[in-house]
Protein backbone atom coordinates (compact mmCIF):
# COMPACT_ATOMS: atom_id res chain seq x y z
CA UNK A 1 0.00 0.00 0.00
CA UNK A 2 1.36 3.40 -1.00
CA UNK A 3 -0.53 6.47 0.21
CA UNK A 4 -0.34 10.00 -1.27
CA UNK A 5 1.82 9.45 -4.33
CA UNK A 6 1.41 13.14 -5.19
CA UNK A 7 3.36 14.04 -2.03
CA UNK A 8 6.47 12.15 -3.18
CA UNK A 9 9.09 14.89 -3.43
CA UNK A 10 11.86 12.95 -5.15
CA UNK A 11 12.10 9.77 -7.21
CA UNK A 12 8.41 9.72 -8.14
CA UNK A 13 9.01 8.57 -11.73
CA UNK A 14 11.22 5.71 -10.52
CA UNK A 15 8.59 4.65 -7.99
CA UNK A 16 5.84 4.72 -10.64
CA UNK A 17 7.99 2.65 -13.01
CA UNK A 18 8.59 0.12 -10.23
CA UNK A 19 4.85 -0.17 -9.55
CA UNK A 20 4.00 -0.49 -13.26
CA UNK A 21 6.76 -3.08 -13.78
CA UNK A 22 5.49 -5.34 -11.01
CA UNK A 23 1.78 -4.89 -11.75
CA UNK A 24 2.33 -5.76 -15.42
CA UNK A 25 3.22 -9.31 -14.37
CA UNK A 26 0.14 -11.23 -13.16
CA UNK A 27 2.45 -14.00 -12.00
CA UNK A 28 4.23 -11.71 -9.49
CA UNK A 29 1.64 -12.48 -6.79
CA UNK A 30 1.84 -8.90 -5.48
CA UNK A 31 -1.20 -6.60 -5.41
CA UNK A 32 -0.68 -2.85 -5.13
CA UNK A 33 -3.08 -0.32 -3.60
CA UNK A 34 -2.00 3.27 -4.24
CA UNK A 35 -3.68 6.62 -3.59
CA UNK A 36 -3.08 10.10 -4.97
CA UNK A 37 -4.71 13.42 -5.66
CA UNK A 38 -5.69 13.88 -9.29
CA UNK A 39 -2.49 14.50 -11.26
CA UNK A 40 -2.16 13.92 -14.98
CA UNK A 41 1.42 12.58 -14.86
CA UNK A 42 0.46 9.95 -12.27
CA UNK A 43 -2.75 9.03 -14.11
CA UNK A 44 -0.83 8.54 -17.36
CA UNK A 45 1.61 6.12 -15.73
CA UNK A 46 -1.07 4.22 -13.82
CA UNK A 47 -3.73 4.14 -16.54
CA UNK A 48 -6.58 1.67 -16.13
CA UNK A 49 -6.61 -1.61 -18.08
CA UNK A 50 -7.37 -5.27 -17.39
CA UNK A 51 -4.72 -5.38 -14.67
CA UNK A 52 -5.23 -1.89 -13.21
CA UNK A 53 -8.43 -0.56 -11.68
CA UNK A 54 -8.94 3.16 -11.04
CA UNK A 55 -11.42 4.27 -8.37
CA UNK A 56 -12.40 7.92 -8.01
CA UNK A 57 -13.23 8.86 -4.43
CA UNK A 58 -15.19 11.87 -5.72
CA UNK A 59 -17.47 9.52 -7.69
CA UNK A 60 -17.84 7.25 -4.67
CA UNK A 61 -18.46 9.96 -2.08
CA UNK A 62 -21.35 8.05 -0.47
CA UNK A 63 -18.97 5.24 0.49
CA UNK A 64 -16.53 7.76 1.95
CA UNK A 65 -19.32 9.46 3.91
CA UNK A 66 -20.36 6.13 5.43
CA UNK A 67 -16.78 5.45 6.49
CA UNK A 68 -16.41 8.95 7.96
CA UNK A 69 -19.67 8.54 9.89
CA UNK A 70 -18.43 5.27 11.34
CA UNK A 71 -15.22 7.04 12.38
CA UNK A 72 -17.30 9.81 14.02
CA UNK A 73 -19.35 7.27 15.99
CA UNK A 74 -16.17 5.63 17.26
CA UNK A 75 -14.42 8.90 18.24
CA UNK A 76 -17.48 10.42 19.94
CA UNK A 77 -18.06 7.22 21.94
CA UNK A 78 -14.41 7.33 23.02
CA UNK A 79 -14.56 11.02 24.05
CA UNK A 80 -18.02 10.67 25.58
CA UNK A 81 -16.86 7.86 27.84
CA UNK A 82 -13.86 9.92 28.94
CA UNK A 83 -15.77 13.20 29.49
CA UNK A 84 -19.07 11.85 30.75
CA UNK A 85 -21.40 12.67 27.84
CA UNK A 86 -25.07 11.84 28.38
CA UNK A 87 -27.07 10.39 25.47
CA UNK A 88 -28.36 13.82 24.39
CA UNK A 89 -24.88 15.41 24.26
CA UNK A 90 -23.49 12.33 22.52
CA UNK A 91 -26.17 12.69 19.84
CA UNK A 92 -25.61 16.45 19.47
CA UNK A 93 -21.82 16.11 19.03
CA UNK A 94 -22.21 13.27 16.51
CA UNK A 95 -24.81 15.23 14.56
CA UNK A 96 -22.64 18.37 14.39
CA UNK A 97 -19.61 16.41 13.19
CA UNK A 98 -21.65 14.58 10.53
CA UNK A 99 -23.07 17.86 9.19
CA UNK A 100 -19.71 19.59 8.95
CA UNK A 101 -17.13 16.87 8.25
CA UNK A 102 -17.50 17.14 4.47
CA UNK A 103 -16.28 13.57 4.07
CA UNK A 104 -12.90 14.45 5.60
CA UNK A 105 -11.36 12.12 8.19
CA UNK A 106 -8.68 14.67 9.11
CA UNK A 107 -11.25 17.36 10.00
CA UNK A 108 -13.01 14.91 12.33
CA UNK A 109 -9.73 13.78 13.89
CA UNK A 110 -8.56 17.35 14.60
CA UNK A 111 -11.91 18.45 16.09
CA UNK A 112 -12.12 15.33 18.26
CA UNK A 113 -8.57 15.87 19.47
CA UNK A 114 -9.57 19.31 20.75
CA UNK A 115 -12.87 18.07 22.20
CA UNK A 116 -10.97 15.54 24.28
CA UNK A 117 -9.71 18.36 26.52
CA UNK A 118 -13.09 20.11 26.82
CA UNK A 119 -15.20 19.31 29.92
CA UNK A 120 -18.64 17.89 29.16
CA UNK A 121 -20.46 20.98 30.46
CA UNK A 122 -18.55 23.25 28.04
CA UNK A 123 -18.86 21.02 24.99
CA UNK A 124 -22.08 22.49 23.58
CA UNK A 125 -20.64 26.01 23.71
CA UNK A 126 -17.28 25.03 22.18
CA UNK A 127 -18.78 22.78 19.49
CA UNK A 128 -20.19 25.62 17.39
CA UNK A 129 -16.73 27.24 17.27
CA UNK A 130 -15.38 24.53 14.95
CA UNK A 131 -15.99 25.74 11.37
CA UNK A 132 -16.56 23.28 8.50
CA UNK A 133 -13.64 22.82 6.11
CA UNK A 134 -9.96 22.28 6.80
CA UNK A 135 -8.73 25.77 5.95
CA UNK A 136 -11.20 27.58 8.28
CA UNK A 137 -10.31 25.04 10.98
CA UNK A 138 -6.59 25.76 10.49
CA UNK A 139 -7.34 29.48 10.78
CA UNK A 140 -9.12 28.86 14.08
CA UNK A 141 -6.14 26.82 15.30
CA UNK A 142 -3.84 29.72 14.35
CA UNK A 143 -6.05 32.09 16.35
CA UNK A 144 -5.48 29.84 19.37
CA UNK A 145 -1.71 30.06 18.89
CA UNK A 146 -1.91 33.86 18.66
CA UNK A 147 -3.77 34.00 21.97
CA UNK A 148 -0.83 32.44 23.83
CA UNK A 149 1.43 34.61 25.99
CA UNK A 150 3.67 36.80 23.79
CA UNK A 151 6.95 34.91 24.28
CA UNK A 152 5.34 31.49 23.81
CA UNK A 153 3.44 32.72 20.76
CA UNK A 154 6.66 34.04 19.21
CA UNK A 155 8.41 30.69 19.73
CA UNK A 156 5.43 28.81 18.21
CA UNK A 157 5.42 31.10 15.16
CA UNK A 158 9.14 30.48 14.69
CA UNK A 159 8.53 26.72 14.77
CA UNK A 160 5.59 26.92 12.35
CA UNK A 161 7.41 29.14 9.84
CA UNK A 162 10.54 26.98 9.98
CA UNK A 163 8.69 23.67 9.56
CA UNK A 164 6.67 25.12 6.66
CA UNK A 165 9.74 26.15 4.68
CA UNK A 166 12.41 23.48 5.26
CA UNK A 167 12.81 20.71 2.70
CA UNK A 168 12.57 17.78 5.09
CA UNK A 169 11.16 17.10 8.59
CA UNK A 170 13.47 18.26 11.38
CA UNK A 171 14.70 16.44 14.46
CA UNK A 172 13.78 18.31 17.64
CA UNK A 173 17.47 19.06 18.28
CA UNK A 174 17.75 20.61 14.80
CA UNK A 175 14.61 22.64 15.44
CA UNK A 176 16.23 24.65 18.24
CA UNK A 177 18.98 25.90 15.91
CA UNK A 178 16.98 26.39 12.71
CA UNK A 179 14.02 28.10 14.41
CA UNK A 180 16.29 30.33 16.48
CA UNK A 181 14.98 29.14 19.85
CA UNK A 182 17.04 30.03 22.94
CA UNK A 183 19.26 27.01 23.59
CA UNK A 184 19.36 27.53 27.36
CA UNK A 185 15.57 27.30 27.60
CA UNK A 186 15.22 24.22 25.41
CA UNK A 187 18.11 21.92 26.25
CA UNK A 188 15.59 19.56 27.81
CA UNK A 189 13.58 17.53 25.27
CA UNK A 190 10.52 17.63 27.53
CA UNK A 191 10.39 21.43 27.31
CA UNK A 192 10.70 21.28 23.53
CA UNK A 193 7.97 18.64 23.25
CA UNK A 194 5.71 20.80 25.41
CA UNK A 195 6.32 23.84 23.19
CA UNK A 196 5.52 21.87 20.03
CA UNK A 197 2.29 20.65 21.69
CA UNK A 198 1.29 24.28 22.21
CA UNK A 199 1.36 24.82 18.44
CA UNK A 200 -2.26 23.63 18.45
CA UNK A 201 -2.70 20.33 16.58
CA UNK A 202 -0.59 21.20 13.54
CA UNK A 203 2.22 18.78 14.41
CA UNK A 204 2.90 15.22 15.35
CA UNK A 205 6.21 13.96 16.75
CA UNK A 206 7.60 10.55 15.81
CA UNK A 207 10.97 9.35 17.08
CA UNK A 208 11.82 12.93 18.13
CA UNK A 209 11.21 14.22 14.58
CA UNK A 210 8.53 16.84 13.96
CA UNK A 211 6.00 16.39 11.13
CA UNK A 212 2.91 18.30 10.01
CA UNK A 213 -0.18 16.16 10.57
CA UNK A 214 -1.00 16.41 6.85
CA UNK A 215 0.33 17.92 3.63
CA UNK A 216 -2.65 20.29 3.59
CA UNK A 217 -1.24 21.99 6.71
CA UNK A 218 2.05 22.74 4.94
CA UNK A 219 0.08 23.98 1.91
CA UNK A 220 -1.95 26.26 4.21
CA UNK A 221 1.17 27.90 5.62
CA UNK A 222 2.99 28.06 2.30
CA UNK A 223 0.32 29.42 0.00
CA UNK A 224 -2.87 30.31 1.87
CA UNK A 225 -3.93 32.60 4.73
CA UNK A 226 -1.41 30.86 6.96
CA UNK A 227 1.43 32.47 4.98
CA UNK A 228 1.04 35.42 7.37
CA UNK A 229 3.60 33.60 9.54
CA UNK A 230 6.18 35.02 7.08
CA UNK A 231 5.78 38.77 7.79
CA UNK A 232 8.99 39.56 5.86
CA UNK A 233 8.43 36.90 3.19
CA UNK A 234 9.66 33.36 2.65
CA UNK A 235 12.96 34.46 1.06
CA UNK A 236 13.89 36.33 4.23
CA UNK A 237 12.97 33.26 6.32
CA UNK A 238 15.32 31.13 4.18
CA UNK A 239 18.09 33.67 4.75
CA UNK A 240 17.49 33.64 8.49
CA UNK A 241 17.63 29.83 8.70
CA UNK A 242 20.90 29.81 6.74
CA UNK A 243 22.44 32.45 9.01
CA UNK A 244 21.36 30.59 12.15
CA UNK A 245 22.73 27.30 10.79
CA UNK A 246 26.07 28.94 9.91
CA UNK A 247 26.23 30.45 13.38
CA UNK A 248 25.72 27.05 15.02
CA UNK A 249 28.54 25.60 12.92
CA UNK A 250 30.80 28.57 13.71
CA UNK A 251 30.18 28.12 17.44
CA UNK A 252 30.84 24.39 17.32
CA UNK A 253 33.29 23.47 14.57
CA UNK A 254 37.00 24.27 14.83
CA UNK A 255 40.30 23.12 13.39
CA UNK A 256 41.57 19.84 14.84
CA UNK A 257 38.16 19.24 16.45
CA UNK A 258 39.28 15.83 17.82
CA UNK A 259 42.38 17.43 19.43
CA UNK A 260 44.73 15.13 17.52
Amino acid sequence: MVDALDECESGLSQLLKLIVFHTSKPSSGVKWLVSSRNRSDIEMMLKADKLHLNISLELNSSLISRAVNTFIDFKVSEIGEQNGYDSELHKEVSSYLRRNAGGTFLWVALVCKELRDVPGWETQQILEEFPPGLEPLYTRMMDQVQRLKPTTMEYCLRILSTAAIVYRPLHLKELVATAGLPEKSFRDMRSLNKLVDLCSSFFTIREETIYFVHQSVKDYFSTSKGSKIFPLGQVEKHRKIICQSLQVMSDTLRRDICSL
Side-chain angles (χ1 to χ4, degrees):
M1 177 184 282
V2 183
D3 184 33
L5 275 174
D6 56 292
E7 294 176 21
C8 182
E9 295 180 352
S10 63
L12 176 60
S13 60
Q14 291 94 323
L15 177 58
L16 289 171
K17 287 175 183 176
L18 176 72
I19 295 171
V20 171
F21 175 76
H22 283 285
T23 55
S24 63
K25 295 183 175 182
S27 60
S28 69
V30 178
K31 293 183 179 181
W32 291 75
L33 178 61
V34 300
S35 74
S36 171
R37 296 181 192 179
N38 293 329
R39 261 182 47 179
S40 57
D41 56 333
I42 294 175
E43 286 183 31
M44 283 180 65
M45 288 288 287
L46 301 179
K47 54 189 174 184
D49 56 29
K50 291 181 180 179
L51 294 175
H52 306 90
L53 177 65
N54 283 357
I55 299 175
S56 169
L57 297 184
E58 285 82 2
L59 299 177
N60 292 272
S61 58
S62 60
L63 296 176
I64 301 300
S65 294
R66 284 213 300 266
V68 171
N69 288 341
T70 301
F71 182 58
I72 288 170
D73 292 339
F74 171 75
K75 296 301 290 183
V76 175
S77 294
E78 191 178 53
I79 299 168
E81 186 176 341
Q82 175 187 306
N83 294 349
Y85 288 4
D86 58 25
S87 58
E88 186 177 338
L89 182 56
H90 188 289
K91 185 177 179 181
E92 187 175 339
V93 173
S94 296
S95 177
Y96 185 83
L97 296 179
R98 285 170 185 260
R99 287 197 312 272
N100 293 280
T104 307
F105 285 97
L106 180 60
W107 186 90
V108 176
L110 291 172
V111 171
C112 288
K113 184 177 180 181
E114 296 212 20
L115 285 176
R116 190 177 291 122
D117 299 323
V118 177
W121 61 86
E122 292 182 2
T123 301
Q124 283 179 309
Q125 179 185 345
I126 298 294
L127 195 59
E128 300 293 330
E129 295 179 10
F130 296 109
L134 282 176
E135 188 168 308
L137 183 62
Y138 294 155
T139 300
R140 179 188 181 275
M141 289 160 61
M142 267 306 297
D143 290 341
Q144 288 179 307
V145 171
Q146 291 173 323
R147 287 198 294 268
L148 295 170
K149 292 183 178 178
T151 302
T152 305
M153 180 193 72
E154 173 61 25
Y155 292 161
C156 285
L157 292 178
R158 290 185 193 182
I159 291 173
L160 287 165
S161 59
T162 300
I165 212 167
V166 293
Y167 294 116
R168 63 164 175 81
L170 296 172
H171 190 280
L172 287 171
K173 289 179 180 176
E174 295 176 307
L175 187 64
V176 174
T178 52
L181 301 176
E183 193 174 343
K184 289 182 180 179
S185 302
F186 295 103
R187 285 176 181 166
D188 182 13
M189 280 294 180
R190 286 176 298 181
S191 300
L192 199 50
N193 269 281
K194 191 173 181 180
L195 179 62
V196 172
D197 285 341
L198 289 172
C199 296
S200 198
S201 299
F202 290 120
F203 293 119
T204 182
I205 297 175
R206 297 195 299 271
E207 297 179 357
E208 297 189 342
T209 299
I210 183 172
Y211 299 88
F212 281 119
V213 293
H214 192 259
Q215 177 67 26
S216 61
V217 179
K218 189 164 187 175
D219 294 343
Y220 172 76
F221 285 118
S222 301
T223 60
S224 187
K225 293 178 182 177
S227 59
K228 292 176 183 176
I229 60 174
F230 304 108
L232 300 178
Q234 295 187 23
V235 172
E236 174 60 21
K237 183 63 183 180
H238 276 294
R239 188 196 68 80
K240 206 163 188 177
I241 291 174
I242 290 170
C243 290
Q244 284 160 182
S245 301
L246 288 171
Q247 187 61 53
V248 169
M249 289 192 288
S250 298
D251 293 342
T252 306
L253 300 177
R254 56 185 172 80
R255 291 183 182 277
D256 194 18
I257 196 165
C258 295
S259 300
L260 298 177

